[in-house]
């Protein structure tokens, strides 16, 4: 046969290997066989041959691998190339003889023994297509159940450290997939959408609350879901999409997460894709997560929490991170508390949500933190939430660099145990309109805490009345109030918790009298100190008043200044409300007020 260049077949065709465990290769697949001197570039388009010895120089001969294997026609070959797994021209792969021997016609798509008992192994990237996984336009139950089995077989193979889900289109799965191993990299490629259903009551299907469940269960195939150790170093590269759906055949509604971990170390779900929908939650680290990370582009339309990151309370240095580009339209119809993201039991958790708008009627908590050391919610745009951070028995809470609209409060303290809560900080945030009834609020005031820091924020566009604190009780006060440099709205109510300014301000003064309103423009009492100079000729005489003390009494203050000529001068105050008039009695020296500043 003439080797015409137009008839060469690209090695980019996707798959044909083994159909099921115990069968060498599904029938109907064409194979190019190589001897030791051949290369993939020698492959040409197959003729409709069913026989012939492909390894005696006839590089243009293609064989059905199952037939060839069973009849001994691979005896002198070192490499074979399949065109497809079973159908559709997808799933082609290269196999090499590995020098082992075993029971003839056994194995699977990763490794098998041919009709002569010679061992062959996959010499290509393990993929869903090379395992015989098939896409369908709609749910086909028998295909979806077989897809689950084949994907699980791929992920459980200890020789596979890297694999790809790359079928373009929809891949349906019924049941749960349990790799039961560590040290695995899954590359879920853009354009591949995995759609999961919990179970099929008419068939025996293993289902336990997720499509992909990475815990190291003892024997999930036989119903033993005891976790026997940490799952470590699993990286799920999610550039495609994954989703779960409910149907009436399911034994339970709202019990099918997309990706789930429990008891995990250094595991990650990252990528440019995300969750398209979920009948339960989206991406879940459901406990004892240590140094684990979520970083995906989106999570959409979940029935319960779009994500969870639960740490390990026994590990004092446990840190975890979550970053989601956008969270869209969670339904919150699954019965769980309405929380966009739940984090717990970590020394440090950072959460970034690029955009969440949601429905104000649902009014969820953006981030609920339970039992953590420090939780940081940072960056992004948020609308229509009850709280940006619920700080439940969590030592340190920080919300920073978030633009928001229509929030009932920014941080809410909660819990039952005294002394756990240490600090709450709100920094560099911006209200983009809508109501903000309270900035900081507390369900629990059973103990003092160290610091309440609300600084460098722009609340100017918040509508209605804005309080700093919804329920100020002396038993739950901070030891340090650090409220400063905030741009406040017209409805600002400071509750005697004053918004101080870090910079100083010059007060216009000349002659022997001037006035200053301690409450400033918004009743904030932005400065606590007033100082200045009395000047005469080349002499200047400094003085200072404590504005905080002045604000708390109706008494007049008196400050004596000795002039260089030994004449006693004095400054006295007179207060009406919080407006103070300062008067210089110069003793005939001709001295006047010079520069006056207020500061903290």
């Amino acid at each position: 046969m003439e080797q015409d260049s137009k008839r060469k077949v690209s090695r980019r065709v996707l798959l044909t290997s083994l159909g099921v465990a115990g069968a060498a290769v599904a029938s109907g697949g064409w194979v190019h066989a190589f001897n030791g001197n051949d290369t993939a570039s020698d492959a040409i388009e197959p003729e409709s041959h069913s026989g012939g010895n492909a390894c005696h120089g006839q590089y243009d001969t293609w064989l059905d691998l199952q037939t060839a294997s069973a009849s001994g026609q691979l005896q002198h070959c070192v490499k074979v190339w399949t065109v497809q797994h079973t159908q559709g021209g997808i799933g082609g792969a290269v196999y090499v003889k590995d020098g082992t021997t075993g029971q003839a016609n056994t194995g699977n798509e990763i490794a098998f023994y041919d009709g002569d008992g010679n061992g062959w192994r996959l010499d290509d990237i393990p993929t869903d297509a090379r395992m015989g996984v098939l896409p369908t336009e709609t749910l086909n139950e028998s295909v979806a159940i077989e897809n689950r089995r084949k994907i699980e077989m791929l992920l459980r193979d200890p020789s596979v450290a890297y694999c790809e889900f790359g079928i373009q289109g929809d891949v349906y799965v019924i049941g749960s997939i349990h790799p039961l191993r560590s040290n695995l990299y899954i590359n879920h490629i853009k354009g591949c959408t995995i759609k999961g259903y919990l179970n099929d009551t008419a068939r025996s299907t293993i289902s336990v609350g997720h499509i992909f469940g990475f815990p190291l269960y003892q024997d999930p195939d036989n119903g033993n879901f005891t976790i026997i150790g940490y799952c470590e170093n699993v990286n799920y590269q999610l550039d495609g999409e994954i989703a779960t759906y409910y149907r009436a055949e399911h034994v339970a509604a709202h019990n099918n997460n997309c990706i789930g971990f429990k008891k995990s170390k250094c595991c990650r779900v990252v990528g440019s894709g995300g969750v398209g929908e979920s009948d339960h939650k989206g991406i879940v680290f459901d406990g004892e997560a240590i140094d684990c990370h979520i970083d995906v582009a989106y999570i959409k339309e979940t029935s319960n929490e779009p994500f969870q990151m639960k740490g390990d309370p026994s590990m004092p240095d446990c840190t975890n991170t979550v970053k989601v580009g956008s969270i869209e339209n969670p339904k919150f119809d699954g019965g769980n508390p309405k929380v966009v993201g739940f984090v717990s039991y970590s020394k440090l958790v950072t959460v970034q949500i690029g955009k969440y708008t949601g429905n104000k009627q649902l009014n969820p908590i953006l981030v609920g933190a339970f039992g953590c050391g420090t939780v940081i919610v940072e960056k992004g745009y948020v609308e229509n939430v009850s709280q940006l951070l619920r700080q439940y028995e969590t030592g340190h809470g920080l919300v920073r660099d978030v633009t928001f609209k229509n929030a009932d409060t920014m941080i809410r303290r909660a819990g039952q145990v005294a002394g756990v809560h240490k600090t709450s900080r709100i920094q560099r945030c911006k209200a983009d309109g809508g109501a903000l009834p309270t900035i900081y609020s507390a369900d629990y005031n059973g103990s003092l805490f160290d610091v309440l820091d609300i600084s460098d924020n722009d609340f100017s566009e918040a509508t209605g009345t804005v309080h700093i604190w919804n329920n100020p009780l002396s038993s739950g006060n901070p030891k340090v109030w650090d409220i400063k440099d905030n741009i406040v709205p017209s409805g600002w109510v400071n509750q005697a918790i004053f918004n101080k300014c870090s910079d100083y301000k010059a007060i216009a003064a000349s002659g022997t009298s001037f006035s200053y309103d301690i409450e400033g423009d918004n009743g904030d009492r932005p400065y606590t100190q007033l100082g200045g100079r009395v000047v005469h000729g080349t002499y200047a005489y400094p003085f200072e008043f404590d504005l905080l003390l002045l604000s708390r009494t109706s008494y007049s203050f008196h400050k004596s200044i000795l002039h260089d000529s030994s004449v006693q001068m004095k400054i006295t105050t007179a207060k009406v409300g919080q407006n103070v008039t300062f008067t210089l009695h110069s003793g005939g020296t001709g001295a006047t007020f010079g520069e006056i500043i207020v500061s903290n």
Side-chain angles (χ1 to χ4, degrees):
M1 181 181 294
E2 181 182 353
Q3 292 192 8
D4 182 23
S5 61
K6 294 182 180 179
R7 304 176 64 196
K8 290 190 177 181
V9 178
S10 168
R11 289 196 67 230
R12 294 180 63 189
V13 296
L14 289 177
L15 195 136
T16 307
S17 55
L18 305 180
V20 295
V25 175
S27 61
W30 286 93
V31 174
H32 182 67
F34 298 81
N35 66 15
N37 298 318
D38 203 0
T39 66
S41 64
D42 294 311
I44 63 172
E45 184 176 333
E47 301 271 341
S48 297
H49 298 164
S50 60
N53 193 325
C55 293
H56 289 176
Q58 305 298 320
Y59 306 137
D60 56 345
T61 301
W62 291 73
L63 302 172
D64 177 283
L65 184 54
Q66 186 175 27
T67 303
S69 170
S71 62
Q73 294 191 54
L74 301 181
Q75 183 176 0
H76 301 290
C77 299
V78 295
K79 182 180 288 188
V80 294
W81 176 23
T82 64
V83 173
Q84 62 183 16
H85 185 279
T86 48
Q87 64 184 28
I90 63 171
V94 174
Y95 289 86
V96 294
K97 189 175 289 184
D98 63 10
T100 64
T101 58
Q103 183 179 348
N105 295 322
T106 61
N108 59 31
E109 285 87 347
I110 305 298
F112 68 92
Y113 295 104
D114 64 18
D116 299 309
N118 294 312
W120 294 80
R121 62 176 174 81
L122 181 67
D123 195 36
D124 248 324
I125 295 172
T127 69
D128 49 358
R130 290 184 175 125
M131 298 302 292
V133 174
L134 294 175
T136 53
E137 292 185 1
T138 58
L139 174 63
N140 180 308
E141 291 185 359
S142 59
V143 172
I145 289 172
E146 189 67 4
N147 283 346
R148 186 211 72 83
R149 186 191 67 79
K150 290 176 177 179
I151 293 173
E152 186 174 78
M153 182 169 60
L154 168 64
L155 299 183
R156 285 188 181 182
D157 193 299
S159 70
V160 175
Y162 172 89
C163 62
E164 294 180 357
F165 302 155
I167 293 175
Q168 298 297 284
D170 294 340
V171 174
Y172 287 87
V173 171
I174 293 178
S176 298
I177 297 166
H178 300 120
L180 304 179
R181 54 175 296 200
S182 297
N183 303 311
L184 177 63
Y185 193 110
I186 299 169
N187 188 4
H188 184 158
I189 293 171
K190 182 178 181 180
C192 176
T193 299
I194 296 177
K195 296 183 174 182
Y197 291 83
L198 185 64
N199 61 350
D200 178 358
T201 55
R203 311 180 191 217
S204 176
T205 307
I206 298 169
S207 299
V208 62
H210 41 242
I211 300 180
F212 289 98
F214 289 96
L216 300 186
Y217 296 124
Q218 187 165 345
D219 187 9
D221 300 350
N222 293 295
N224 187 341
F225 294 98
T226 303
I227 298 176
I228 58 176
Y230 278 97
C231 173
E232 301 185 45
N233 302 312
V234 169
N235 191 322
Y236 194 120
Q237 183 73 29
L238 182 57
D239 293 330
E241 184 168 289
I242 188 167
T244 66
Y245 303 91
Y246 174 75
R247 59 183 186 148
E249 291 86 344
H250 290 176
V251 295
H254 310 305
N255 191 33
N256 199 13
N257 300 321
C258 289
I259 299 173
F261 290 82
K262 189 169 185 179
K263 203 175 182 71
S264 52
K265 291 181 180 179
C266 301
C267 294
R268 300 160 54 89
V269 182
V270 301
S272 60
V275 172
E277 185 173 343
S278 176
D279 178 50
H280 192 20
K281 304 169 188 173
I283 300 172
V284 177
F285 286 80
D286 201 24
E288 298 178 85
I290 300 172
D291 298 329
C292 293
H293 309 281
I294 298 170
D295 186 354
V296 296
Y298 59 88
I299 301 176
K300 303 178 182 179
E301 297 190 34
T302 59
S303 285
N304 288 308
E305 299 94 315
F307 68 82
Q308 286 187 337
M309 180 62 77
K310 299 181 181 179
D312 188 339
S314 69
M315 301 296 290
D317 294 327
C318 170
T319 62
N320 299 295
T321 67
V322 178
K323 184 178 181 181
V324 182
S326 67
I327 294 179
E328 300 178 26
N329 302 318
K331 295 171 283 189
F332 295 122
D333 59 355
N336 284 7
K338 296 179 179 64
V339 181
V340 175
F342 183 80
V343 299
S344 67
Y345 296 125
S346 300
K347 180 179 181 180
L348 172 64
V349 185
T350 63
V351 178
Q352 292 185 30
I353 298 173
K355 183 178 182 181
Y356 170 80
T357 54
N359 185 331
K360 188 58 178 175
Q361 291 181 331
L362 295 172
N363 210 30
I365 297 166
L366 184 68
V367 176
F370 185 98
C372 293
T374 299
V375 174
I376 301 172
V377 180
E378 60 182 356
K379 302 179 181 178
Y381 180 82
V382 177
E383 282 188 18
N384 301 322
V385 294
S386 63
Q387 304 147 56
L388 274 68
L389 172 62
R390 184 171 181 83
Q391 193 175 338
Y392 190 102
E393 292 179 3
T394 288
H396 304 276
L398 169 59
V399 177
R400 67 184 177 195
D401 300 313
V402 175
T403 299
F404 64 95
K405 182 178 182 179
N406 282 332
D408 298 342
T409 191
M410 298 184 69
I411 292 182
R412 184 183 294 273
R413 179 189 185 186
Q416 299 179 1
V417 179
V420 176
H421 178 215
K422 302 297 184 184
T423 67
S424 291
R425 300 179 185 274
I426 300 167
Q427 300 173 348
R428 302 191 303 270
C429 294
K430 185 181 189 307
D432 197 39
L436 177 62
T438 61
I439 296 170
Y440 168 84
S441 57
D443 292 341
Y444 173 78
N445 283 301
S447 63
L448 302 178
F449 63 103
D450 293 339
V451 177
L452 176 61
D453 172 8
I454 303 173
S455 58
D456 298 298
N457 302 286
D458 182 356
F459 301 125
S460 61
E461 294 185 31
T463 60
T465 301
V466 179
H467 292 79
I468 291 180
W469 188 352
N470 75 321
N471 187 25
L473 296 176
S474 59
S475 60
N477 276 350
K479 300 172 187 177
V480 175
W481 301 85
D482 195 7
I483 317 297
K484 66 177 186 294
D485 297 327
N486 300 291
I487 304 173
V488 299
S490 58
W492 181 257
V493 179
N494 61 50
Q495 301 165 279
I497 306 167
F498 302 114
N499 180 36
K500 300 187 296 293
C501 293
S502 296
D503 202 1
Y504 70 88
K505 180 180 179 181
I507 303 298
S510 61
T512 58
S513 181
F514 71 93
S515 295
Y516 175 70
D517 187 350
I518 294 175
E519 290 193 339
D521 296 332
N522 296 284
D524 279 329
R525 305 188 186 182
Y527 299 102
T528 58
Q529 299 291 327
L530 182 146
R533 300 191 300 266
V534 171
V535 296
H536 182 233
T538 59
Y539 291 94
Y541 304 92
F543 66 90
E544 190 171 88
F545 284 88
D546 188 323
L547 296 178
L548 181 59
L549 288 176
L550 270 170
S551 70
R552 297 168 63 87
T553 181
S554 60
Y555 289 103
S556 295
F557 283 40
H558 177 119
K559 187 174 291 290
S560 296
I561 301 173
L562 183 62
H563 189 270
D564 189 58
S565 65
S566 300
V567 172
Q568 192 75 36
M569 300 184 294
K570 63 180 178 180
I571 301 172
T572 60
T573 67
K575 191 173 74 162
V576 177
Q578 294 297 333
N579 191 284
V580 183
T581 298
F582 297 83
T583 301
L584 170 64
H585 305 274
S586 66
T589 63
T592 60
F593 284 118
E595 182 183 29
I596 308 295
I597 62 170
V598 285
S599 63
N600 287 299

